[in-house]
């Protein structure tokens, strides 16, 4: 018997993906660099389906039906290249290598093009949902050729999460499109997490609520428009008591957030594409600030306002509104980045389809994604989600509370960079005139960088050092 698909790299994500495939009735070949892992998988879970363990790359490749489908689940970067170098020589034209790691999309483009020359399809695939998702149904974002999706799509859709019967998996676009979209998913994940963290901080320090009380607030929010996996797990974390101290778990965790890089890539890429993603950037910077222990220690005694003025009743509702509005901004920025990436690389990504496959399985799954799907259905070319009827109305309703929350945070000295940058972005887009006109004047003054006028075409320069007449540039 041959395997329909194979998985190499059997750390927790690879192992769970292989089990998911087997549980769905797909015979799956399994391989790991250290064979003990392969053995352990088959011993522990062999009764869940048909596993074909292989000790060597050669045996692994031999055990796959043709065209071969080979899923690589190893660390992004060097380890992925090493595995490709090891397996590609054993493959034949028409075979497929699926990279399910969190690869940088630029690496995926490079690998795809190198393997395409040898007739091998390289399918950079975003997989979201952590260990549980991999086992019970992740959100899957495959890139690569349309031809490879014909052979892989049905399998991947089969093991993905489903929402209203629709699989959380679709062909994103050619070469690096899948990993690009996964990267932005993670950037949005960072922003969403940061906004939730700021909400917690404000409820704690402006409203004076205890973690267990805040958990209840989040549980209530989770029955409304904010319903999402991240809100749900936030309540769980806040309600958790530390066994050692008997106090709230959140109080014994070191307040220095770590990151593996996908959020940073999202911002770096946005800078290259010229897309403003302040919400995601502030989330990355907030983690960075938190980790600068010595800097924070040095600055600890800088003066701040008195925190005597605690927030009044209704504050939690105001925070809910600020969170919803800021979240819309973060997603609008993320989708703008996907739109820009798609245009830059000619991927032709269907934005509504991305919202659709994020409704289940992934870390940012949320009720609200149905609204985003509907917004792109109503207008696939919408320049920003903020102008969609539903979102415009929601933000319009929320804006008073949103401003109050940002003002309260500033007044009480509670950092809320995510809320503040989201509001500033909203007000920037709304503005009739931006002070960018002054920026242009300054640039022209010190560097003769020229400016354009509102009343006629062309580029101009004022002779600032001379008689200040205007000349055509
Ligand atoms: C997912 C997650 C996953 C990973 C994050 C964590 O979609 O399943 O995004 O990919 O857990 O990348 O990222 P940080 O370690 O950078 O927070």
């Amino acid at each position: 018997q041959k395997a329909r698909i194979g998985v190499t790299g059997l750390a927790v994500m690879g192992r769970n993906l292989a089990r998911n495939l087997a549980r769905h009735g797909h015979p799956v070949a399994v391989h790991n660099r250290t064979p003990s892992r392969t053995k352990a998988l088959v011993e522990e879970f062999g009764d869940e389906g048909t596993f074909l363990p292989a000790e060597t790359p050669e045996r692994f490749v031999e055990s796959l039906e043709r065209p071969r489908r080979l899923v690589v689940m190893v660390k992004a970067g060097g380890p992925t290249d090493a595995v490709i170098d090891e397996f590609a020589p054993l493959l034949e034209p028409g075979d497929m290598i699926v990279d399910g790691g969190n690869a940088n999309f630029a690496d995926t483009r490079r690998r795809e093009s190198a393997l395409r020359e040898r007739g091998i399809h390289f399918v950079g695939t975003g997989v979201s949902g952590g260990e549980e998702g991999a086992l019970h149904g992740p959100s899957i974002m495959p890139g690569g050729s349309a031809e490879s999706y014909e052979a892989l799509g049905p399998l991947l859709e089969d093991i993905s999460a489903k929402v209203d019967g629709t699989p959380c998996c679709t062909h994103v676009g050619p070469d690096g499109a899948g990993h690009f979209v996964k990267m932005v998913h993670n950037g949005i994940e960072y922003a969403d997490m940061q906004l939730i963290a700021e909400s917690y901080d404000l409820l704690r320090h402006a409203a004076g609520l205890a973690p267990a009380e805040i958990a209840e607030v989040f549980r209530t929010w989770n029955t409304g428009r904010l319903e999402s996996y991240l809100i749900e797990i936030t309540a769980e974390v806040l309600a958790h008591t530390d066994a050692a101290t008997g106090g709230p778990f959140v109080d014994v965790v070191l307040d220095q957030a770590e990151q593996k890089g996908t959020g940073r890539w999202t911002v770096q890429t946005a800078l290259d594409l010229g897309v403003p993603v302040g919400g995601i950037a502030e989330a990355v910077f907030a983690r960075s600030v938190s980790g600068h222990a010595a800097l924070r220690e040095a600055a600890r005694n800088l003066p701040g306002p008195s925190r005597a003025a605690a927030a009044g009743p209704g504050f939690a509702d105001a925070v809910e509104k600020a969170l919803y509005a800021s979240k819309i901004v973060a997603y609008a920025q993320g989708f703008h980045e996907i739109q820009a990436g798609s245009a830059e690389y000619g991927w032709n990504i269907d934005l509504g389809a991305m919202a659709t496959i994020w409704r289940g399985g992934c870390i940012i799954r949320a009720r609200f994604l149905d609204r985003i799907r509907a917004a792109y259905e109503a207008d696939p070319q919408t320049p920003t989600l903020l102008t969609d009827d539903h979102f415009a109305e929601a933000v319009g309703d929320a804006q008073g509370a949103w401003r109050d929350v940002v003002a309260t945070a500033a007044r009480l000295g509670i950092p809320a960079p995510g809320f503040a940058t989201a509001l500033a972005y909203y007000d920037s887009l709304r503005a009739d005139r931006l002070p960018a006109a002054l920026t242009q004047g300054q640039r022209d003054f010190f560097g003769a960088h020229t400016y354009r006028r509102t009343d006629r075409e062309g580029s101009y320069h004022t002779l600032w050092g001379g008689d200040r007449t205007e000349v055509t540039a």
Side-chain angles (χ1 to χ4, degrees):
Q1 189 190 8
K2 296 260 182 191
R4 193 164 295 157
I5 190 163
V7 179
T8 180
L10 299 176
V12 64
M13 288 296 288
R15 188 183 63 188
N16 283 359
L17 219 54
R19 289 175 61 199
N20 188 349
L21 284 158
R23 286 172 167 202
H24 278 84
H26 306 295
V28 55
V30 284
H31 169 266
N32 194 68
R33 197 159 44 96
T34 32
S36 57
R37 269 224 170 118
T38 316
K39 237 179 111 210
L41 165 62
V42 177
E43 266 166 23
E44 237 179 295
F45 306 107
D47 56 355
E48 291 183 352
T50 307
F51 293 98
L52 283 76
E55 288 222 351
T56 64
E58 289 76 12
R59 298 297 286 275
F60 178 64
V61 168
E62 269 166 32
S63 68
L64 295 171
E65 68 178 41
R66 288 188 192 163
R68 300 180 181 89
R69 305 176 185 91
L70 190 160
V71 181
V72 178
M73 294 300 291
V74 301
K75 275 211 179 74
T80 301
D81 280 318
V83 170
I84 292 171
D85 289 346
E86 190 174 16
F87 283 93
L90 308 173
L91 299 178
E92 290 169 311
D95 289 350
M96 289 154 258
I97 299 181
V98 179
D99 174 13
N102 266 333
N104 187 304
F105 78 96
D107 286 339
T108 302
R109 283 169 57 79
R110 166 177 60 77
R111 291 167 182 148
E112 197 272 341
S113 127
L115 287 164
R116 186 161 11 108
E117 275 176 25
R118 301 158 72 168
I120 297 168
H121 298 278
F122 184 72
V123 185
T125 300
V127 179
S128 177
E131 321 175 3
E132 284 298 297
L135 183 59
H136 299 292
S139 174
I140 309 181
M141 297 152 245
S145 66
E147 193 188 335
S148 67
Y149 194 77
E150 268 175 43
L152 277 164
L155 274 173
L156 298 180
E157 289 178 18
D158 194 29
I159 63 160
S160 74
K162 313 278 182 302
V163 174
D164 305 333
T166 306
C168 294
C169 171
T170 193
H171 183 224
V172 175
D175 60 84
H179 276 142
F180 185 95
V181 163
K182 175 62 187 359
M183 172 190 79
V184 176
H185 164 284
N186 280 27
I188 293 174
E189 170 185 308
Y190 276 49
D192 210 339
M193 291 168 71
Q194 173 64 21
L195 293 169
I196 292 172
E198 291 176 20
S199 302
Y200 149 75
D201 210 30
L202 283 159
L203 291 172
R204 184 130 194 215
H205 297 113
L209 300 182
E213 294 171 315
I214 301 172
E216 283 312 311
V217 172
F218 279 104
R219 282 193 180 121
T220 311
W221 289 356
N222 203 38
T223 62
R225 60 186 178 174
L226 281 170
E227 182 190 321
S228 61
Y229 174 69
L230 283 171
I231 293 281
E232 178 192 327
I233 64 158
T234 301
E236 295 293 317
V237 174
L238 288 173
H240 185 57
T241 300
D242 174 51
T245 59
F249 165 78
V250 71
D251 286 349
V252 299
V253 178
L254 192 70
D255 60 345
Q256 297 180 17
E258 294 174 20
Q259 48 185 315
K260 289 198 282 285
T262 47
R264 187 172 63 239
W265 294 344
T266 309
V267 179
Q268 287 170 332
T269 304
L271 289 172
D272 291 339
L273 292 169
V275 180
V277 294
I280 299 169
E282 283 297 351
V284 174
F285 287 142
R287 290 194 191 191
S288 167
V289 167
S290 79
H292 277 282
L295 178 61
R296 288 173 62 194
E297 190 49 42
R300 194 171 294 280
N301 293 321
L302 291 176
S306 123
R307 281 196 178 171
F315 187 67
D317 283 345
V319 174
E320 191 269 350
K321 290 186 170 134
L323 176 55
Y324 192 64
S326 303
K327 185 170 155 132
I328 294 170
V329 167
Y331 280 70
Q333 293 177 345
F335 274 87
H336 184 186
E337 181 165 350
I338 296 178
Q339 199 173 30
S342 180
E344 171 76 17
Y345 297 105
W347 287 327
N348 210 6
I349 296 176
D350 176 343
L351 299 176
M354 298 307 104
T356 304
I357 64 169
W358 288 350
R359 291 183 307 164
C362 64
I363 303 295
I364 64 171
R365 61 184 181 262
R367 180 195 281 201
F368 150 96
L369 282 156
D370 245 335
R371 287 287 182 187
I372 299 186
R373 187 186 52 79
Y376 283 115
E377 212 161 80
D379 179 8
Q381 307 305 329
T382 186
T384 172
L385 287 170
L386 283 163
T387 54
D388 166 71
D389 286 347
H390 170 79
F391 289 130
E393 196 187 319
V395 175
D397 277 353
Q399 61 146 342
W402 193 10
R403 295 180 194 288
D404 284 345
V405 168
V406 171
T408 301
R411 206 158 18 80
L412 299 183
I414 300 168
F419 284 163
T421 191
L423 182 57
Y425 177 81
Y426 176 70
D427 284 333
S428 296
L429 293 192
R430 278 188 334 101
D432 251 354
R433 295 271 302 157
L434 287 170
L438 178 57
T439 309
Q440 285 295 80
Q442 293 164 324
R443 292 177 68 247
D444 191 57
F445 189 104
F446 63 64
H449 293 302
T450 77
Y451 51 89
R452 287 175 295 153
R453 297 184 53 100
T454 57
D455 52 358
R456 34 191 154 89
E457 291 292 306
S459 289
Y460 300 91
H461 169 55
T462 290
L463 302 170
W464 297 103
D467 65 359
R468 304 212 164 173
T469 55
E470 185 173 76
V471 296
T472 314

